[in-house]
Amino acid sequence: MAELLEHPKLLKGDSGEWEIVIGLEVHAQVISNAKLFSGAPIAFGAEPNTQVSLVDAAFPGMLPVLNEHCVEQAVLTGLGINGTVNKYSRFDRKNYFYADLPQGYQISQFEFPIVTGGFVDVEPEGEVPKRIGVTRLHVEQDAGKSIHDQHPTQSYIDLNRSGTALMEIVSEPDMRSGEQATAYLTKLRQVLRYLGTCDGNMDQGSMRCDINVSVRHPGDELGTRCEVKNVNSIRFVRQAIEYEARRQIRLIENGGTVVQETRLYDPSKGETRSMRSKEDAHDYRYFPDPDLLPLRLEDEYIERIRAGMPELPDAKRARFVADYGISDYDAWVMTADQDTADFFEGVVKGRDAKLATNWITGDYFAYLNREGFDVTNAPIGGQKLGGLVDLISDNTISGRIAKDVFEAMIESGKDAAAIVEEKGLVQITDTGAIEAMIDDVIAKNQDKLEQYRSGKDKLFGFFVGQVMKATQGKANPAMVNQLLKPKLDG
Amino acid sequence: MSNLTDLTIASARAGLDAGDFSARELAAAHIAAMAEHKTLNTFITETPERALADADAADARRAAGQVASALDGVPIAMKDLFCTEGVRSTAGSHILEPFVPPYESTVSAKLKAGGSVMLGKANLDEFAMGSANITSYYGPVTNPWVAGNGDNRQRVPGGSSGGSAAAVAARIAIAATGTDTGGSIRQPASFCGIVGMKPTYGRCSRWGIVAFASSLDQAGPMTRTVEDAAIMLQVMAGHDPKDSTSAPYDTPNFSEKLRSGVKGLKIGVPREYRVDGMPAEIDSVWQQGADWLRDLGAEVVEISLPHTKYALPTYYIIAPAEASSNLARYDGVRYGLRVPGNDLKEMYENTRAEGFGAEVKRRIMIGTYVLSAGYYDAYYIKAQKVRSLILRDFTSAFEKVDAILTPTAPSAAFALGEKQDDPVQMYLNDVFTVPASMAGLPAISVPGGLSAEGLPLGLHLIGKPFDEVTLFQVAQALEDAAGFEARPAGY
């Protein structure tokens, strides 16, 4: 394994080395029964404008009423990223005109967010682990969608998303490489999914990311940043950062200066381009929303949510290592998501953990990949896999036979025990029977025996193979090894 | 049988209960009055068929012994700021001219459920922004009162609930709904010689009322007697989970102490309300009001509300700030007026340029300005701080007194066309009503007498938060003492 870098690679330019400074703003759609301030449902993929209440469409006289479930989800998320839940927070209006923003303002939290501080521990690819600070988490409304490609001169508006609850999670400018940003996003998404507060599906837009990028020579003051908007996959985040950093370096080294602006990432061209400059930036005229009271949370409320928090990936991973004696790497794989972790524990509990883990990470995951299943929907589930592992553990079948049994299970959907029974695959563990088999093989291969005894140790494998072949693989391999050795040695 | 258009809510109920007349007859009499006095322009949309249908339903309920409330069968005018299901709701603006809501505001729904008969949607200043009802896209409302000294100029009814006030004064409606942001119920009540009551902020739901300034807007009754105001508020008030600022309190019996008198109560008279250039007749009606209450056994004491002079300027920061944001939704995209343009921005500009009148534009611009980066702290934040000081003034005053007496407006109804070119002069109309609005307090205007010109002058009482009961108690005593029997000639 290559050594992990203490500091990420710097970018080389004509004027020396450059460091990238990255901060991320993640918009995570809250998993909830209804929108943030209206009772409207929020089914993804519904017909346009079917998930809209009069409040979401900002009809005259309509008023927002805070959805308490969304607050609970935000508090849970805040605790999950080690933040401080503020007992006083407030909703503000962010005013701007756009066709898919019915109120003419977004209800957000500006001055007093529900969560401040926090951190996410990440393991960037090829780099040492790092702690990324979280500045704040606040709750806000999403806008609707403008659809520009349905009519030659007009745009369509779909308000299904209008008013949906988002959590905006703002990181500190703590990241120094695309790898770190990717690791942060991946980890944040994993935590949100564990908490059940956001499904993290970037392709469906339920998690979106704006990237703040600047460059500087190491040790210098922070450079001027550009914000790259709406990057909708983790892969694109890395590409956008690298493109944007190189663009800024090129610009500076050619005598230009970076202007603070909002840029858009174009994944088809792999480049960012200017959307609006700071001069064109909106003056959002934030002020406290007079339709809503400040949000006050009691200690007991916060503690009740804390008490109901699920075990998070880092803790689970450490526990898997401690409880089941598996490697940290395997534990990392097994805690990738809550379903995998639950599946793992279901199989491993009460069994030989190492054997079970090898089976899960090996043949079982290969099977899932090949067939396009995941741990929640595969016809061969944890119980059946456990049954197979049990047969290996109690020496009913050998590991080699188990592979055949597993293939038969996939084909027929039957339990391992039934297949073993049906096909007569029970392992031969009778010493006498195996010894007779060995004697027979030795008798038939006197020439090989001579060669073995004159120093060709490697022929040991040949004899094992012959014995296994004679038993159609059913002989217990350990016993074969054990009994064969003294007979060959004479 | 008395004239059907001369009844109060209380006497109409008695007559209906006694079978002296039917709700249909009562409605028909008011529909006739509405037709007769069309030139006052009190309504933007008249709903006579709906009124007759409502009345028939009321008669049927009464016959079945299922009277819905004290308002069952009572014809009322609905300020056109309340969204009414299936009935055009314009807010007095061109931008909502074609708007027919598919929903009913909470307050109008309560009145409907209470059996009241809706005659139509009353005219108002555009988006409730005005003090003379001259900013309505649907034309100004004429006050039924004219001066008694031969000066026959048309008078404004006050605003913004000018249509409501004029309709009640002109005996077109027995009562009307109003909304009050800085004085929009009380000042027109004073100008039209009727009772206008603004409850504590949070007492009536704002749901379904076209918003002007959310932290100030409050619905209230406009009637010809204090008793009627209490009866009507009883039906309008109540906690509404659809309005987060609606107070989660039970509604008291507002009429409970109407006949209790004021003996032993302490009434404060704030010295800061004696403003420079106040007409002598305003001062004297105020003095008269204090004397009446003293004569009835109340203790009248001078109090101080030191931040009074900052209330109006502060109001004209906070209210426009909220309005500038509240009115952003009128963009031509989803409902109401749309004036096409070559792109989205041009469509916005065309729609809003044509859809909003001058006063609304002025307030949107003021509001946008005071919320802008670089000005926010100096204006909005400062105004919020002053607002808390104003509230603190009242809180300490109410440690000493049970209610506060002031004039309602600094003048009687002025002539149409006066003060029209000077917005600040117009804004000064609300100088006495705005402080209570800023503090969210209940307040009521009761006719106190006539000016030298023979126009009504109102007396203004401010109560403790959520203590409308005491407010009505004092108002009733004032009404009894004033014995105001005058009415506009010809109505």
Side-chain angles (χ1 to χ4, degrees):
Chain A
M1 205 170 166
E3 199 162 319
L4 296 178
L5 296 173
E6 184 72 35
H7 298 289
K9 282 203 188 94
L10 298 171
L11 295 178
K12 285 201 172 49
D14 298 339
S15 61
E17 293 188 308
W18 292 87
E19 183 180 53
I20 319 175
V21 177
I22 305 154
L24 295 181
E25 290 172 21
V26 171
H27 289 91
Q29 186 181 316
V30 177
I31 294 175
S32 170
N33 50 341
K35 294 186 180 181
L36 183 55
F37 295 112
S38 82
I42 46 173
F44 177 80
E47 284 294 301
N49 294 312
T50 57
Q51 314 280 299
V52 186
S53 78
L54 294 165
V55 175
D56 307 320
F59 269 58
M62 292 301 101
L63 297 171
V65 176
L66 182 59
N67 180 342
E68 282 177 38
H69 183 238
C70 296
V71 173
E72 197 168 321
Q73 292 286 68
V75 170
L76 186 58
T77 307
L79 296 173
I81 56 173
N82 312 293
T84 304
V85 177
N86 295 315
K87 290 199 274 180
Y88 174 93
S89 67
R90 197 180 69 191
F91 290 97
D92 301 292
R93 291 186 185 178
K94 178 181 181 179
N95 296 282
Y96 66 96
F97 282 96
Y98 201 64
D100 56 23
L101 187 74
Q103 294 167 140
Y105 54 85
Q106 176 195 33
I107 306 178
S108 181
Q109 294 188 304
F110 182 57
E111 211 180 331
F112 299 99
I114 190 165
V115 175
T116 36
F119 59 85
V120 175
D121 287 330
V122 304
E123 289 162 69
E125 194 187 329
E127 297 177 20
V128 296
K130 184 167 184 177
R131 175 163 291 186
I132 307 297
V134 171
T135 315
R136 57 185 278 163
L137 176 155
H138 68 254
V139 179
E140 64 185 23
Q141 290 178 305
D142 206 346
K145 264 186 200 153
S146 296
I147 304 159
H148 301 296
D149 58 0
Q150 302 289 307
H151 188 281
T153 58
Q154 300 188 322
S155 293
Y156 288 13
I157 304 295
D158 177 6
L159 295 180
N160 279 357
R161 214 178 58 186
S162 168
T164 300
L166 297 177
M167 295 178 285
E168 179 171 330
I169 303 164
V170 183
S171 84
E172 292 288 316
D174 281 354
M175 287 156 278
R176 298 289 178 269
S177 67
E179 286 77 3
Q180 291 181 9
T182 314
Y184 170 78
L185 263 186
T186 309
K187 184 64 175 291
L188 182 62
R189 181 171 66 175
Q190 183 189 30
V191 170
L192 295 177
R193 284 175 169 169
Y194 261 78
L195 293 167
T197 56
C198 171
D199 67 24
N201 296 331
M202 291 187 82
D203 52 340
Q204 293 181 355
S206 47
M207 188 166 140
R208 306 192 288 273
C209 180
D210 302 335
I211 316 163
N212 283 298
V213 182
S214 64
V215 295
R216 65 175 172 190
H217 291 300
D220 282 2
E221 296 283 297
L222 286 175
T224 306
R225 69 192 156 88
C226 290
E227 185 182 21
V228 184
K229 278 246 177 253
N230 270 332
V231 189
N232 62 5
S233 88
I234 291 183
R235 191 161 56 91
F236 293 159
V237 166
R238 191 144 147 187
Q239 290 171 5
I241 289 169
E242 270 154 31
Y243 176 88
E244 181 56 22
R246 291 194 186 280
R247 184 192 71 84
Q248 291 182 14
I249 292 167
R250 215 166 38 239
L251 186 66
I252 298 167
E253 293 193 332
N254 287 330
T257 45
V258 175
V259 285
Q260 192 175 333
E261 61 178 354
T262 303
R263 301 179 67 85
L264 231 110
Y265 179 67
D266 179 348
S268 63
K269 295 192 175 134
E271 61 182 36
T272 66
R273 57 169 178 270
S274 184
M275 198 170 127
R276 56 170 184 260
S277 71
K278 195 187 176 188
E279 287 71 41
D280 304 331
H282 297 290
D283 178 354
Y284 289 119
R285 291 172 283 124
Y286 283 101
F287 76 107
D289 192 325
D291 286 332
L292 292 160
L293 303 174
L295 179 59
R296 289 174 203 279
L297 303 176
E298 308 275 328
D299 281 324
E300 301 82 72
Y301 174 86
I302 298 167
E303 289 316 310
R304 185 171 56 74
I305 293 173
R306 194 192 302 275
M309 252 182 41
E311 186 180 34
L312 291 178
D314 285 348
K316 205 181 267 295
R317 175 172 161 187
R319 183 170 62 79
F320 281 7
V321 171
D323 286 5
Y324 303 117
I326 61 174
S327 72
D328 181 59
Y329 176 80
D330 282 342
W332 178 71
V333 172
M334 290 306 155
T335 51
D337 59 70
Q338 184 80 53
D339 287 334
T340 303
D342 290 347
F343 172 84
F344 169 79
E345 287 216 273
V347 176
V348 161
K349 227 164 217 164
R351 298 198 170 94
D352 177 340
K354 276 181 187 157
L355 178 63
T357 306
N358 284 339
W359 265 91
I360 294 170
T361 54
D363 295 70
Y364 190 74
F365 279 178
Y367 149 71
L368 294 184
N369 280 335
R370 195 174 66 225
E371 311 279 330
F373 293 123
D374 63 48
V375 292
T376 63
N377 63 9
I380 309 295
Q383 212 161 357
K384 284 192 169 139
L385 180 63
L388 180 65
V389 172
D390 288 342
L391 294 180
I392 307 168
S393 294
D394 66 11
N395 283 327
T396 306
I397 54 173
S398 69
R400 218 198 64 72
I401 290 287
K403 286 177 187 286
D404 297 337
V405 173
F406 186 57
E407 290 307 317
M409 288 165 73
I410 294 167
E411 222 158 274
S412 66
K414 290 180 183 161
D415 287 349
I419 290 166
V420 168
E421 175 77 42
E422 219 169 80
K423 300 197 171 178
L425 296 175
V426 177
Q427 191 164 235
I428 302 165
T429 49
D430 174 39
T431 314
I434 293 174
E435 269 180 332
M437 218 76 78
I438 289 171
D439 293 342
D440 189 42
V441 166
I442 290 175
K444 283 179 182 158
N445 294 284
Q446 283 299 314
D447 53 334
K448 295 279 190 319
L449 181 68
E450 289 305 320
Q451 290 170 22
Y452 174 84
R453 286 188 173 160
S454 59
K456 284 203 163 180
D457 289 1
K458 282 182 181 163
L459 280 169
F460 185 79
F462 165 79
F463 285 101
V464 173
Q466 290 301 307
V467 175
M468 294 309 285
K469 196 175 166 189
T471 61
Q472 288 116 44
K474 289 187 284 184
N476 181 316
M479 290 176 70
V480 173
N481 278 317
Q482 196 192 339
L483 296 170
L484 186 60
K485 188 88 166 98
K487 287 191 190 273
L488 289 179
D489 292 346
Chain B
M1 191 171 86
S2 59
N3 188 345
L4 289 180
T5 58
D6 241 2
L7 301 168
T8 61
I9 294 173
S11 59
R13 176 172 54 171
L16 288 165
D17 284 347
D20 296 343
F21 47 83
S22 66
R24 190 180 177 88
E25 286 167 332
L26 193 59
H30 286 89
I31 291 167
M34 182 160 69
E36 190 186 341
H37 304 306
K38 230 181 169 70
T39 52
L40 295 179
N41 200 25
T42 48
F43 287 90
I44 291 172
T45 305
E46 297 180 350
T47 58
E49 295 85 7
R50 151 88 183 262
L52 290 174
D54 285 354
D56 287 344
D59 283 331
R61 276 191 300 272
R62 194 162 252 106
Q66 290 167 338
V67 174
S69 82
L71 288 178
D72 206 346
V74 174
I76 63 166
M78 187 70 67
K79 186 180 185 180
D80 205 16
L81 202 63
F82 293 83
C83 288
T84 44
E85 189 176 356
V87 178
R88 189 169 72 125
S89 303
T90 69
S93 182
H94 184 31
I95 213 160
L96 282 174
E97 191 170 9
F99 179 62
V100 178
Y103 51 93
E104 185 82 29
S105 81
T106 298
V107 165
S108 60
K110 281 169 173 278
L111 289 166
K112 197 174 175 183
S116 69
V117 171
M118 190 175 88
L119 294 164
K121 303 298 291 290
N123 205 341
L124 70 157
D125 278 302
E126 185 180 3
F127 283 103
M129 296 175 188
S131 304
N133 214 126
I134 53 175
T135 70
S136 170
Y137 175 74
Y138 305 90
V141 174
T142 302
N143 192 329
W145 288 85
V146 285
N149 58 1
D151 175 357
N152 280 327
R153 288 181 300 165
Q154 281 182 18
R155 299 283 160 168
V156 301
S160 66
S161 311
S164 299
V168 173
R171 272 65 181 170
I172 296 170
I174 292 184
T177 55
T179 63
D180 191 313
T181 304
S184 279
I185 287 175
R186 295 160 286 159
Q187 184 258 14
S190 177
F191 277 22
C192 292
I194 64 165
V195 174
M197 198 270 179
K198 179 196 94 75
T200 314
Y201 182 81
R203 186 62 99 180
C204 289
S205 169
R206 293 186 297 114
W207 193 88
I209 301 174
V210 175
F212 162 16
S214 312
S215 73
L216 296 155
D217 295 345
Q218 189 58 203
M222 303 181 78
T223 57
R224 290 197 287 269
T225 66
V226 171
E227 181 186 23
D228 279 5
I231 293 170
M232 188 167 176
L233 181 61
Q234 201 72 46
V235 179
M236 296 168 72
H239 175 62
D240 181 4
K242 289 190 288 191
D243 174 1
S244 310
T245 63
S246 158
Y249 301 143
D250 290 339
T251 306
N253 176 4
F254 295 121
S255 305
E256 193 187 340
K257 292 186 176 171
L258 280 183
R259 309 291 162 204
S260 300
V262 291
K263 194 165 279 195
L265 291 186
K266 274 193 177 171
I267 308 298
V269 173
R271 69 171 76 99
E272 291 81 3
Y273 278 57
R274 227 168 285 277
V275 293
D276 284 345
M278 184 160 77
E281 60 187 5
I282 300 297
D283 196 31
S284 81
V285 76
W286 185 13
Q287 187 56 53
Q288 179 65 68
D291 291 346
W292 284 328
L293 292 172
R294 192 180 296 110
D295 293 347
L296 289 167
E299 187 187 342
V300 177
V301 295
E302 189 175 79
I303 57 162
S304 174
L305 300 169
H307 297 91
T308 298
K309 67 175 170 190
Y310 303 115
L312 198 66
T314 306
Y315 172 84
Y316 274 98
I317 290 168
I318 289 173
E322 293 180 9
S324 70
S325 176
N326 282 337
L327 269 58
R329 64 187 58 200
Y330 307 107
D331 57 7
V333 175
R334 297 166 312 285
Y335 49 76
L337 181 73
R338 177 190 292 178
V339 182
N342 287 320
D343 57 23
L344 181 66
K345 201 174 155 205
E346 206 180 294
M347 189 276 281
Y348 283 155
E349 288 168 357
N350 293 347
T351 300
R352 290 168 67 84
E354 195 171 318
F356 291 138
E359 183 61 28
V360 171
K361 285 178 192 160
R362 175 181 296 123
R363 298 202 196 188
I364 289 175
M365 285 191 286
I366 293 170
T368 304
Y369 178 81
V370 299
L371 290 177
S372 297
Y375 301 97
Y376 180 76
D377 289 351
Y379 291 102
Y380 187 81
I381 292 288
K382 188 89 170 202
Q384 288 291 19
K385 286 179 182 161
V386 175
R387 188 176 184 177
S388 8
L389 293 175
I390 292 167
L391 175 60
R392 209 168 66 187
D393 283 357
F394 279 110
T395 307
S396 26
F398 279 122
E399 284 165 11
K400 290 173 233 131
V401 299
D402 300 293
I404 294 168
L405 176 73
T406 80
T408 306
S411 75
F414 44 91
L416 194 64
E418 275 186 84
K419 304 188 184 187
Q420 209 151 333
D421 301 328
D422 184 352
V424 174
Q425 200 56 34
M426 189 65 83
Y427 297 167
L428 280 170
N429 268 290
D430 294 330
V431 67
F432 299 137
T433 48
V434 152
S437 299
M438 296 294 277
L441 300 171
I444 190 168
S445 178
V446 178
L450 294 177
S451 71
E453 290 179 304
L455 293 168
L457 295 173
L459 281 167
H460 186 223
L461 288 163
I462 305 167
K464 296 178 184 174
F466 297 103
D467 188 13
E468 286 89 351
V469 171
T470 303
L471 188 66
F472 281 123
Q473 178 187 357
V474 180
Q476 180 66 56
L478 208 52
E479 180 182 79
D480 292 342
F484 186 85
E485 294 291 342
R487 55 195 289 171
Y491 294 92

